[in-house]
Amino acid sequence: MTEVLKLNQLTKLFGGLTAVSQVDMTLNKGELIGLIGPNGAGKTTIFNLLTGVYVPSKGDILFMGKSISGKKPYQVTAEGVARTFQNIRLFADLSVLDNVKIAYHWHGKYNLASSLLRLPGYFAGEKKMTEDAVELLDIFNLADKKDEIAKNLPYGLQRRLEIARALAAGPKLLLLDEPAAGMNPLETRDLMDLIRWIRNEFNLTVLLIEHDMSLVMGVCERIYVLDYGKIIAEGLPDEIKANPKVIEAYLGEEVSYA
């Protein structure tokens, strides 16, 4: 198995607060892994460490065998890591098409001079990015919405657009931060099918943060459980369901695996 991501004793301190403590985690190529835990457990902090928003206080992050600890977010994106956010972060006043094209500009073929001087390379590059963006939107059943303003889309379609934009960056590892937040049960079931399809179609490794346990248990192949910044359990979905430490961590919270 090819190791895509490895966290070694990853730790993040904010003053006297330890948000993430000595986390070890491994993701192999093609896996679809869940990261769960109560609110405030440190899940999004881990995503922010993986994407260069935060710098680790201790430990290391290895991506495709190379350390990315301390790299800037744009450098992490260039390595092949893309993410979505718990709160949708689209360019709300731009069109659906432009939201995706922005991500394609990351690996555009023309240079600054071509853009400023409007040379043939610029027009050829823009044409190719537009074609690629429309093709990706079509995959997500959004091509007919390409000229709509992003903020005018229904919530579920905004989620789809955010995932499409992340894929336009050409990642090897996709990080999904609570993609089912705000969705109804039907939208969540559709999302579950979409995540599986994305993993297979785009040959990705996926790490998923989610509070909807039906989605986590239905789509993830292995699950890590975080509590107070520490990994308290790791295993198959059925093992996690029955783990006493996991049950205890969720006491007082309504958890449904249906």
Side-chain angles (χ1 to χ4, degrees):
M1 275 190 184
T2 302
E3 197 172 80
V4 171
L5 181 70
K6 187 173 182 63
L7 310 186
N8 290 322
Q9 297 289 287
L10 188 65
T11 300
K12 180 60 183 177
L13 308 174
F14 293 102
L17 173 67
T18 303
V20 173
S21 179
Q22 299 179 323
V23 167
D24 292 325
M25 186 184 300
T26 301
L27 274 70
N28 296 310
K29 183 176 173 59
E31 284 192 303
L32 207 169
I33 304 299
L35 177 61
I36 67 172
N39 287 324
K43 304 181 297 295
T44 296
T45 299
I46 287 181
F47 269 28
N48 286 337
L49 288 164
L50 294 179
T51 53
V53 176
Y54 297 151
V55 176
S57 302
K58 298 177 184 176
D60 200 7
I61 304 167
L62 298 176
F63 178 66
M64 304 302 293
K66 183 169 67 172
S67 177
I68 58 171
S69 297
K71 286 185 177 291
K72 303 292 186 184
Y74 73 88
Q75 294 172 317
V76 175
T77 300
E79 294 289 342
V81 180
R83 74 175 291 183
T84 65
F85 293 86
Q86 180 179 349
N87 299 312
I88 295 174
R89 296 189 188 180
L90 296 171
F91 296 100
D93 293 315
L94 295 183
S95 71
V96 168
L97 178 62
D98 284 341
N99 265 272
V100 175
K101 282 184 66 178
I102 283 171
Y104 274 116
H105 274 89
W106 177 255
H107 40 80
K109 299 301 183 183
Y110 60 82
N111 56 30
L112 180 60
S114 292
S115 176
L116 292 174
L117 299 174
R118 294 298 194 264
L119 299 177
Y122 163 78
F123 292 104
E126 282 291 308
K127 182 175 183 291
K128 179 67 164 62
M129 279 187 281
T130 298
E131 291 171 349
D132 289 345
V134 171
E135 184 177 343
L136 186 58
L137 288 171
D138 189 45
I139 289 171
F140 282 82
N141 296 319
L142 288 169
D144 62 334
K145 310 285 187 185
K146 65 183 177 65
D147 296 320
E148 289 193 25
I149 300 303
K151 67 183 179 184
N152 294 336
L153 290 179
Y155 187 85
L157 295 186
Q158 288 188 38
R159 280 286 181 195
R160 282 178 172 261
L161 176 56
E162 190 179 37
I163 295 172
R165 186 180 62 182
L167 292 175
K172 301 180 184 73
L173 172 65
L174 178 62
L175 309 176
L176 300 175
D177 192 349
E178 296 196 34
M183 289 188 172
N184 62 43
L186 179 59
E187 289 172 330
T188 299
R189 286 195 295 272
D190 289 343
L191 177 66
M192 193 184 306
D193 293 336
L194 178 64
I195 291 171
R196 287 196 197 96
W197 184 85
I198 287 169
R199 187 272 303 270
N200 296 334
E201 183 72 14
F202 290 87
N203 195 27
L204 292 174
T205 303
V206 179
L207 179 60
L208 168 76
I209 291 175
E210 186 51 67
H211 281 293
D212 188 317
M213 289 298 101
S214 63
L215 186 147
V216 171
M217 297 297 169
V219 78
C220 294
E221 296 154 347
R222 284 193 298 121
I223 299 169
Y224 287 89
V225 185
L226 198 66
D227 192 30
Y228 293 106
K230 295 184 177 182
I231 297 293
I232 61 169
E234 182 268 328
L236 303 175
D238 286 342
E239 295 170 338
I240 295 301
K241 285 182 189 179
N243 189 299
K245 289 183 179 179
V246 177
I247 296 170
E248 182 181 355
Y250 277 105
L251 281 177
E253 298 192 16
E254 184 179 347
V255 180
S256 173
Y257 300 114

